[in-house]
Amino acid sequence: MSSSGGAVVVAMARRAERAVVQTLREHGATSADRAAPLSLNRPGGRAAVKRLVRREAVRESGDRYWLDEAAYETMRDGRRVRAVFAMIVVAAIVIAIIAFGAFRA
């Protein structure tokens, strides 16, 4: 898979997760006593719910689900930190390549 293909898959997965979160918020399902059933007809919906449940951002109550807002924000913060770290690593590699090339010439 090309890197742009991987980026498309990641973007689609994130979009499916946001759709699940939006649906739960629209139903007011932000606590166990307000849990709501989810219709997982959208592409990637079932996988998105599984990812969110595994990361404990979405909780299960029988056949109903609810959004743990604090856990969801923690999950998103962790993603941001990893993305910034990856950009720093890439920038350092680019700088090292440029610097090495300047010394070689």
Side-chain angles (χ1 to χ4, degrees):
M1 176 181 299
S2 70
S3 62
S4 63
V8 169
V9 170
V10 169
M12 289 174 61
R14 297 296 178 257
R15 182 176 179 172
E17 287 178 4
R18 284 192 306 272
V20 169
V21 169
Q22 179 181 357
T23 299
L24 291 172
R25 284 178 175 156
E26 287 172 356
H27 287 90
T30 55
S31 63
D33 59 326
R34 299 200 41 140
L38 283 175
S39 174
L40 304 172
N41 298 332
R42 292 184 174 190
R46 200 172 306 282
V49 169
K50 284 183 180 180
R51 277 191 307 277
L52 291 166
V53 168
R54 189 173 55 244
R55 293 182 177 114
E56 298 181 350
V58 169
R59 309 288 179 134
E60 290 180 275
S61 290
D63 61 342
R64 295 172 171 262
Y65 298 89
W66 60 279
L67 176 65
D68 184 334
E69 291 277 6
Y72 180 65
E73 285 306 313
T74 299
M75 182 189 82
R76 290 189 53 175
D77 290 344
R79 284 182 177 167
R80 274 188 222 105
V81 168
R82 287 189 299 278
V84 169
F85 181 73
M87 290 188 320
I88 290 170
V89 168
V90 169
I93 290 170
V94 169
I95 290 168
I97 290 170
I98 292 170
F100 182 72
F103 287 121
R104 240 176 136 195

